[in-house]
Amino acid sequence: MIWAKEETFSRDEIKRIQVEKLREVVKRVYENVPFYRKKLLQAGIKPENIQSIEDVRLLPLTTKDDLRDNYPYGLFAVPMDEIVRVHASSGTTGKPTVVGYTAQDIESWTELVARIVTCAGVTKSDVVQIAFGYGMFTGAFGLHYGVERVGATVVPASSGNTEKQLLFMRDFGTTVLVSTPSYALYLAEVAQKMGIMKDLKVRLGLFGGEGCSEEVRKELEKQWGMVATDNYGLSELIGPGVSGECHLKDGLHINEDHFLVEVLDPKTLEPVKEGENGELVVTTLTKEGLPLLRYRTRDIASVTYEKCACGRTTARMSKVSGRTDDMLIIRGVNVFPSQVESVLLDTEGVTPHYQLVVTRRGALDNLEVKIEVTEEFSKSADRKRWKSLKEDIERKLSVILSLKAHVTLAAPSTLERFQGKARRVVDLREAI
Ligand code: DLL
């Protein structure tokens, strides 16, 4: 089922709507946000200069630092009287970024999430357990309202309380799980240990908030016996609801009548060719509380405008392959955690639980990859097999990374588990 007619508009119609809304949002920020007024004046741009989609390139870019510099409410485009909700994204460093919603923003958000959950296959007959943390994070509330709009039953379990969460899942007949992929892996592990996996009826997973590689997807589908779908968003833009996969799992459908997405080379800031990877830069077309022009997401993906076999005509983005600020530079070589993950999950005998530890001795960086072996491997393998597994992974890593990494095989259930977004990289170079 397709939730909204906008998902099947012709490309010409989508473009027409985008230009119209782009002009409106530029006018809105020019009139109401001093930060943008100044930037637009400096660039010599007036709202009436925006005549086509390509004219988006005349507009200034916005970064996370701009939001931090204007902490907490400096970029809001409406008086606080009209803001009905705030959320904040914690980030790992510095001040949080605060985002504000008008009543109309909450309504749009609800509709957009209703679209993406319907796109993934949720219907009103489903029982949907939301295992994102309820609070300042946009994940739980965003999904909550959209799932309710579809008419499904929401179980607002929040994250944590893992055993109780699984008992709810069994007793309430949960059919859809909403969480980060890392928490879903952990939930599966605990369900196996509790011996209740066979009693669970979860048929569909809606995963987001962090990357979910094809390897992790396969693992989740195997462990849960479910269809695992990916959905994407960020608090600065709205939260979840920016894009999501349909059952064909061939790219995430972007809600283009609300978000204008560009894919730029992060260095030159020039657009890349259709289908090529670059940084997603997004303009919010309808937000009232916190409209953003050309927000640099730091997320790397590609976009295609080909119609999907599901019938939707909206552009699709690839899975996010990493973040520009995720990239580690180790001995001058660019390393993305997702590259390491693809090797690990392609190897028999190891689990998806891993950690990258980077240290520096003298002038030399050292990458250690800690990875947990499976129970089965740990019980059956002799010392020779441990050694050959370690060497096998080191060999594969050196091919994919062009760099020597040291692999440490850890016993089952010894590495940290995550109830929200995973933290896989520990970079100790600064600290040493
Ligand atoms: O994570 C919003 C969200 C919640 C989306 C739940 C989907 C489901 P933030 O906390 O602001 O918002 O983090 C945004 O998380 O820039 C990406 O780097 C990453 N991210 C979110 N979804 C995905 C995904 C929410 N499906 C940041 N794949 C973004 C890869 C994702 N990365």
Side-chain angles (χ1 to χ4, degrees):
M1 185 192 155
I2 295 179
W3 182 259
K5 60 183 184 318
E6 287 81 356
E7 295 171 83
T8 56
F9 279 176
S10 70
R11 292 301 316 160
D12 283 348
E13 183 64 2
I14 292 173
K15 273 197 179 171
R16 194 192 59 73
I17 294 173
Q18 287 189 320
V19 180
E20 190 185 308
K21 291 185 176 173
L22 182 62
R23 240 184 264 137
E24 283 168 16
V25 71
V26 175
K27 184 161 183 286
R28 204 154 59 239
V29 296
Y30 184 80
E31 289 172 355
N32 299 302
V33 186
F35 166 87
Y36 277 127
R37 188 184 182 86
K38 195 170 147 202
K39 282 212 164 194
L40 288 165
L41 284 173
Q42 274 168 357
I45 303 297
K46 290 266 170 67
E48 51 274 23
N49 296 129
I50 304 300
Q51 300 290 337
S52 69
I53 284 298
E54 288 69 35
D55 288 342
V56 71
R57 302 203 48 224
L58 303 171
L59 301 173
L61 293 154
T62 310
T63 63
K64 200 172 184 88
D65 282 341
D66 294 326
L67 282 158
R68 290 204 174 116
D69 293 345
N70 289 283
Y71 175 85
Y73 301 147
L75 294 191
F76 286 12
V78 296
M80 283 308 285
D81 277 9
E82 288 179 38
I83 295 288
V84 299
R85 173 106 63 85
V86 293
H87 280 281
S89 105
S90 60
T92 41
T93 51
K95 285 180 191 157
T97 38
V98 181
V99 297
Y101 302 75
T102 64
Q104 178 54 45
D105 289 335
I106 298 282
E107 172 58 24
S108 312
W109 195 14
T110 304
E111 278 293 310
L112 292 180
V113 175
R115 282 188 199 177
I116 63 139
V117 304
T118 304
C119 185
V122 175
T123 72
K124 67 198 288 289
S125 315
D126 278 305
V127 177
V128 182
Q129 189 150 330
I130 299 186
F132 281 134
Y134 279 73
M136 298 308 274
F137 177 51
T138 51
F141 280 98
L143 264 304
H144 183 114
Y145 284 87
V147 170
E148 271 189 4
R149 177 66 52 94
V150 168
T153 309
V154 173
V155 181
S158 201
S159 62
N161 268 329
T162 302
E163 295 198 352
K164 198 162 164 198
Q165 172 107 241
L166 285 161
L167 295 178
F168 284 158
M169 217 176 264
R170 182 192 63 189
D171 299 346
F172 299 170
T174 297
T175 54
V176 179
L177 169 63
V178 173
S179 72
T180 58
S182 349
Y183 193 39
L185 285 172
Y186 180 42
L187 278 163
E189 191 181 358
V190 178
Q192 297 289 3
K193 278 193 187 135
M194 290 166 73
I196 63 166
M197 194 49 135
K198 59 182 187 326
D199 307 320
L200 303 182
K201 298 197 187 69
V202 181
R203 65 172 187 89
L204 176 65
L206 264 77
F207 301 118
E210 64 180 6
C212 176
S213 60
E214 287 302 336
E215 291 81 6
V216 168
R217 187 207 308 269
K218 266 190 234 142
E219 188 67 30
L220 285 166
E221 295 192 330
K222 189 172 94 193
Q223 295 198 15
W224 285 92
M226 60 154 58
V227 173
T229 64
D230 189 2
N231 69 89
Y232 167 83
L234 51 165
S235 19
E236 295 90 321
L237 299 179
I238 201 162
V242 174
S243 65
E245 283 179 335
C246 64
H247 64 284
L248 297 170
K249 299 186 281 192
D250 188 17
L252 288 76
H253 291 272
I254 302 171
N255 284 319
E256 281 186 282
D257 49 333
H258 292 254
F259 303 101
L260 175 59
V261 177
E262 299 167 78
V263 189
L264 305 185
D265 179 318
K267 286 207 184 88
T268 63
L269 297 175
E270 291 295 318
V272 301
K273 290 206 194 82
E274 182 175 338
E276 276 180 16
N277 262 343
E279 178 178 342
L280 299 178
V281 172
V282 187
T283 301
T284 65
L285 295 174
T286 52
K287 284 275 289 300
E288 293 181 343
L290 180 65
L292 293 178
L293 301 184
R294 306 187 82 202
Y295 185 68
R296 292 192 64 175
T297 64
R298 308 275 170 193
D299 293 319
I300 300 163
S302 63
V303 169
T304 168
Y305 295 90
E306 264 174 42
K307 186 177 168 180
C308 179
C310 75
R312 290 176 183 80
T313 49
T314 42
R316 278 169 291 151
M317 55 181 262
S318 64
K319 280 177 163 302
V320 171
S321 60
R323 286 180 56 85
T324 52
D325 49 8
D326 244 12
M327 188 180 80
L328 294 160
I329 302 182
I330 300 174
R331 279 176 254 152
V333 179
N334 298 347
V335 173
F336 285 97
S338 53
Q339 292 174 296
V340 176
E341 181 172 301
S342 68
V343 166
L344 301 185
L345 298 184
D346 206 23
T347 305
E348 280 291 310
V350 299
T351 68
H353 304 289
Y354 68 96
Q355 192 178 46
L356 273 57
V357 184
V358 194
T359 50
R360 175 171 290 158
R361 194 168 298 152
L364 210 59
D365 296 333
N366 179 47
L367 171 64
E368 182 189 8
V369 179
K370 293 184 181 172
I371 170 157
E372 253 182 50
V373 297
T374 58
E375 289 278 356
E376 205 187 353
F377 180 88
S378 154
K379 278 188 196 135
S380 62
D382 56 14
R383 279 183 58 192
K384 219 167 116 200
R385 272 188 66 208
W386 280 78
K387 186 161 175 277
S388 87
L389 179 60
K390 172 183 150 75
E391 287 170 357
D392 178 36
I393 300 174
E394 284 180 343
R395 202 167 33 247
K396 287 184 185 159
L397 284 174
S398 78
V399 171
I400 203 156
L401 302 177
S402 312
L403 176 92
K404 176 145 180 51
H406 297 277
V407 168
T408 305
L409 296 178
S413 307
T414 51
L415 295 184
E416 186 179 355
R417 300 292 190 265
F418 303 95
Q419 298 180 349
K421 302 188 188 215
R423 289 174 305 279
R424 304 258 179 230
V425 179
V426 182
D427 193 340
L428 297 172
R429 284 177 294 185
E430 297 282 299
I432 289 174

